[in-house]
Amino acid sequence: MLSLKRILLIVDGPGVMTHTASLVTSLLRQGVAMRVALTESARLLVGDYFTTMLSGTPLIRFPEISEKILGDSDAVLAAPVSEKMAWLLCEDDWLAKWKHVKGPVMIAPAFLPQEDNAEVRMMLSSRGGGAVQWLMAEDETTDMGSLGSLDVASPERCLEAAMTAMTKQDLAGKRILITAGPTVEDFDPVRFVTNRSTGRMGVALARMAAWRGADVTIVHGPMTWPIPPHGGIHACPVRSAQSMYDAVMARVAYMDLAILCAAVADFTPINYSNVKIKKQKSADGVFSLEMKRTPDILDSIGHASGRRPFLVGFAAESDHVQAYAQAKLESKNCDMLCANDVTKPGSGFAVGTNQVTVFKRDGSVVELPQMSKEDVARRVLDIALEGMSHRAAN
Ligand code: CTP
């Protein structure tokens, strides 16, 4: 079900130029409505119309934040704010005001990088008596051109924290393993065999699960799609099918749910040449690469003895989607299989959308409409959670 969210964004100082456009647009993209409150120093830098035009709602001046505005907010994100402002926002009168907010209050203080402020950060992060959540910079420096730079949580990390704070934590306590992206099979120092997967579907699953409170491990091949900076997502980069197999097998017994979304290479070159293979070696113009099967990770988990997680596979098909998907569900012994037809427009590699049909072990089939990969991820997680509860009850 669609749930409408509202956030109050408070911005102070030069961070308005580096963070605000990105934060406002990415929150809007996630369907979050917002009010933006600027302090005087931020207003002086960008003027009155900047945030109004970006957010589509009239600007609020910081001192004019009312109880009504706070009461209408599902969360408050003060990002970035100066150190002075950060102290102010956790004084008693502001702590009393925060009680009107429906959800959490997050503060991302900005520091000048040249200052030794470890002690100040420590003191700040213990302020607020649990009423505020601190987003401290973690090796993050924002460049502000001729104005210098600031140590402050990046807009991406602020976004992840805000979305998590506004999402129902129905996967809290669950450990989820996701495989994503392609694998890369090398056969000399400069050449390899791979496929067209960008990792976008796997990253969407990891992100949506982390927003819902899960502890996520994403084992991924070299991907073009970035992993968002979320404390609940642990990335385990690998390269070949064999290294993905090893990384997954070392972790999977501890997991509650495993979603195998990676486009694992089915074959890998038998021989690896330590030196670059010269083209003169193929005088007849033909080059043959002898390949062997890689281990099938999904199949290995499906047929492993002992404790195993609820197991979800993916299947990218170009024909006979239903028949092949049903056969994979059975033969790999998984609990659920999500199939997509990669030949359909808007479904498959390197696009933002997907159209997936979910095949369940009890024979039922859920056909999802074409949606963004993040919405597909949400629905796949819903169906998996339902299956896990059902399995636990029986
Ligand atoms: N898979 C895996 N290990 C492999 C190959 C595939 O874990 N070596 C997983 C994929 O991550 C996916 C599922 O198996 O969850 C199905 O992958 P797919 O490529 O569609 O099918 P294959 O089993 O490789 O069979 P085929 O290529 O013949 O369709």
Side-chain angles (χ1 to χ4, degrees):
M1 201 211 313
L2 179 69
S3 109
L4 301 171
K5 300 285 178 206
R6 286 173 298 189
I7 194 165
L8 172 66
L9 185 63
I10 300 174
V11 195
D12 172 41
V16 71
M17 297 180 301
T18 54
H19 279 53
T20 308
S22 151
L23 262 175
V24 170
T25 50
S26 51
L27 282 163
L28 285 174
R29 210 175 297 131
Q30 292 300 336
V32 178
M34 84 203 65
R35 298 301 304 271
V36 187
L38 296 190
T39 63
E40 201 51 28
S41 67
R43 267 188 66 231
L44 279 175
L45 287 165
V46 294
D48 275 358
Y49 299 110
F50 173 66
T51 51
T52 301
M53 285 171 74
L54 268 179
S55 67
T57 52
L59 168 83
I60 307 170
R61 296 182 182 200
F62 175 70
E64 291 162 10
I65 295 174
S66 63
E67 269 179 28
K68 163 103 179 73
I69 291 169
L70 293 171
D72 280 347
S73 304
D74 294 298
V76 172
L77 175 61
V81 294
S82 63
E83 186 197 325
K84 192 169 148 213
M85 177 83 169
W87 286 103
L88 175 80
L89 294 180
C90 48
E91 277 175 5
D92 288 348
D93 51 340
W94 275 100
L95 290 182
K97 288 185 191 172
W98 298 143
K99 294 201 177 102
H100 299 289
V101 183
K102 294 201 180 76
V105 174
M106 293 154 280
I107 305 179
F111 297 92
L112 295 173
Q114 60 272 27
E115 284 174 354
D116 180 13
N117 43 41
E119 208 177 315
V120 180
R121 285 169 199 239
M122 227 167 66
M123 274 157 46
L124 252 188
S125 31
S126 62
R127 296 274 297 156
V132 301
Q133 193 181 315
W134 292 97
L135 304 177
M136 289 293 175
E138 289 174 6
D139 292 327
E140 291 152 301
T141 298
T142 300
D143 192 354
M144 296 186 303
S146 59
L147 287 177
S149 55
L150 284 178
D151 277 358
V152 59
S154 65
E156 293 76 21
R157 205 152 61 78
C158 293
L159 173 76
E160 295 305 307
M163 292 312 298
T164 304
M166 289 186 291
T167 304
K168 188 173 160 207
Q169 299 292 285
D170 59 351
L171 291 177
K174 297 269 185 284
R175 287 159 305 180
I176 304 185
L177 184 141
I178 292 165
T179 67
T183 64
V184 171
E185 312 299 321
D186 296 300
F187 60 93
D188 81 6
V190 295
R191 301 186 183 94
F192 50 76
V193 180
T194 188
N195 60 64
R196 292 173 54 205
S197 168
T198 59
R200 192 165 175 174
M201 189 65 236
V203 169
L205 282 159
R207 195 174 189 215
M208 295 304 109
W211 286 4
R212 289 163 73 163
D215 185 65
V216 180
T217 300
I218 179 166
V219 179
H220 64 90
M223 299 192 295
T224 46
W225 202 252
I227 299 176
H230 190 297
I233 303 180
H234 317 285
C236 174
V238 297
R239 188 166 172 87
S240 64
Q242 183 64 51
S243 60
M244 184 173 274
Y245 174 88
D246 295 340
V248 169
M249 288 307 167
R251 290 165 175 80
V252 75
Y254 297 101
M255 300 292 162
D256 301 302
L257 167 65
I259 308 180
L260 274 66
C261 183
V264 187
D266 290 323
F267 298 96
T268 191
I270 292 179
N271 296 311
Y272 176 80
S273 165
N274 287 321
V275 291
K276 187 182 166 198
I277 301 167
K278 287 301 191 189
K279 63 173 177 284
Q280 284 82 349
K281 286 204 176 140
S282 63
D284 57 358
V286 175
F287 175 73
S288 312
L289 192 60
E290 248 197 310
M291 299 178 87
K292 64 178 183 203
R293 282 281 298 271
T294 54
D296 191 312
I297 309 167
L298 184 60
D299 188 86
S300 305
I301 303 171
H303 291 99
S305 57
R307 185 192 177 280
R308 74 155 231 213
F310 190 86
L311 189 57
V312 180
F314 265 73
E317 305 292 352
S318 60
D319 57 298
H320 302 92
V321 177
Q322 168 134 9
Y324 285 149
Q326 296 275 19
K328 275 181 197 169
L329 176 76
E330 299 281 326
S331 70
K332 300 200 188 200
N333 198 27
C334 34
D335 298 298
M336 208 171 113
L337 194 114
C338 310
N340 65 325
D341 182 341
V342 288
T343 62
K344 273 195 192 160
S347 177
F349 297 126
V351 286
T353 53
N354 207 355
Q355 198 268 302
V356 158
T357 304
V358 180
F359 296 85
K360 297 201 262 179
R361 212 51 209 259
D362 62 6
S364 56
V365 177
V366 183
E367 198 161 332
L368 299 176
Q370 188 182 105
M371 297 185 272
S372 72
K373 284 187 174 164
E374 295 198 334
D375 284 338
V376 171
R378 284 190 181 95
R379 293 290 290 120
V380 166
L381 289 166
D382 288 344
I383 301 169
L385 189 60
E386 214 177 84
M388 288 161 79
S389 319
H390 192 251
R391 193 169 77 167
N394 289 301

